[in-house]
Amino acid sequence: MRNLLLLLMILLTAAGCSPNSSESDFEDSTTLNFNKGWEFVKDIDPEVSDDHFSQNSTIEWEQVSLPHTANIEPLVITDQQWQGDAFYRKFFEIDSAYSDNHIAVRFGAAMHEADIWLNGEKIRNHKGGYLPFVVNVSKYLNFDTENVLLVRLNNENNPTIPPGKPIETLDFNWFSGLYRNVDLLIDEKIHITNPIAVDRVSAGGVLVNYTEVSDESATVNIQTDIENFDVTDRNVSVKTVLMDSSGHVISELISEPQAVESGSYHLIDQQIEVNQPKLWSPNSPYLYTLTIELLEDGEAIDFWQKRIGIRTMSFTEDHQFVLNGEPLQLRGTNRHQSYPYIGYALSENAQFRDAYKIKDAGFNFIRTAHYPPSTSFLEAADELGLLFMNAIPGWQFFGDEEFQELAYRDIRDMIRRDRNHPSIVIWEASLNESDMPESFMEQAHEIVHEELPFENTYTSGWIDHAYDIFIPARQHASPPEYWASYPKEKPLFVAEYGDWEYYAHNAGFNQDAYEDLQEEERNSRQLRGDGQVRLAQQALNFQEAHNSNLQGWAFGDANWVMYDYNRGYDVNLEASGIRDIFRLPKFTNYYYQSQGGPNMDPSADFNRPMIYIANFWHDAGYT
């Protein structure tokens, strides 16, 4: 295996590949980062010709690396953002020594309809801009000579692709490009599968869950999915190693050899007993490292590794949230992943930075808005100690049968990509503020429990039907009680608050037809440059709403929103962020920071005792 990896690195370095992409949820030793050496062009004839595959192309290609956005947008998008066709292509070579391997390309995300060609032959179409897809290229490759991979992307309005609603009426923007990592996967014909590629319910790759969890002991249950693409039967075993955060081995298991017939797959189940486990929590986000090797004749032929966190969660009889046996009130925020100018094409460091600032603001919980984030962001949540509600793409739109099937697929792919993250405690299998029929909600709820048939699996939705947890926005109820009088039929989480109820007196759903607006000085949408009086008003609004939420029995809430962002239907920034679009803090950031402690440990990274004077030395126009 080591010789294979070394040789692959040598062979593929010139092709713009590097090993060990941390964006990969199912990292292994034959995963090579495919981000370098791409060419890009946009706004040309979308029809594909021989010219697209030629090194002597008459098309003026631009040299780019991934992640990449197809268009640099203005800071404030006053006209509709760029939409259209964009092309990416990459030339690369692979030695014929690997002609018997299983080779695939994994796209972390592509916005939002992708057509894929290899060496002039169209091999895949994929609809959906927020989750990965895997293309098996084994039979289309040329060895010992040049290959060309071509991707055509289209990000125009499409009612069949969630979120479905046109950008010009949407409360956020989807952007463009190959904006997450692309990886080349080179495996033995028999290998640990990719859960997205094999499309098996509650299977594929490695699935980890925990039972009998306490301070004294915990059981780590590991399911490994192995598939044999070879023409002959193969005999393999699985070696599983659990290490603590210092790299010391806690447990090591090797399964009995298992015959896997040609063209079939096999699930191998293992259990590791951990004595006195260090449980993962926001205050102590302890991560173990789980390593799995696929062995044949004693030699490792495949490898998988991921950091995991042992924890348990539940709800009390009166629907309060319990983590590791202790009640915990969730204090959260919502976050859009967009960034100035580059849209969604954030680096992994920028993803970590976004999560760090959320933790530093005093929050212990994030609700994604309104789509699955980068896995780099989830890795940061695992490491920093941020509980998470993951969500499928959707906002105020419900489409036709194809749209619904793609939404169901998004639920499965989201879970298969993210299911081993200890930070994720709730799955929002709901189209936010959309008029979903009961049949859709019931099916969405059922899919989550099919994929994760475990005791501590919880779904959520903004309509009080089918889902395990009810997550309305504060403005979906009427003042002054809002949700304080909800009849405790199921756990309640206030998923949005602090913005809309201070923005429009009618506080309804139809945000592009609002009326009876509040005076500018009174609402929560305040830019960082609007002055200290208006920034103090924003902080007061959030404080009032958060305190009101605490008067009810909701087990937590999430403000709207962490960072200012562009939105399709308005020429102004949505400015109710507690930090601006550049992630610089407003006064409200410090209000939340004051709620997150104090942690008196001098070595603590977060929630230390703090004081902030909400005042500018000089504020022109105010006295």
Side-chain angles (χ1 to χ4, degrees), residues 12 52 62 90 146 150 156 252 284 291 327 348 411 494 524 605:
L12 295 170
H52 289 77
E62 176 187 353
K90 181 178 175 68
E146 189 172 74
L150 179 72
E156 294 175 303
E252 181 176 310
S284 181
T291 299
E348 293 180 1
I411 298 170
V494 180
S524 298
D605 293 323

Side-chain angles (χ1 to χ4, degrees), residues 446-459:
E446 182 64 27
I447 286 172
V448 175
H449 285 277
E450 286 178 357
E451 293 288 340
L452 297 170
F454 310 125
E455 184 178 357
N456 60 350
T457 298
Y458 296 96
T459 65

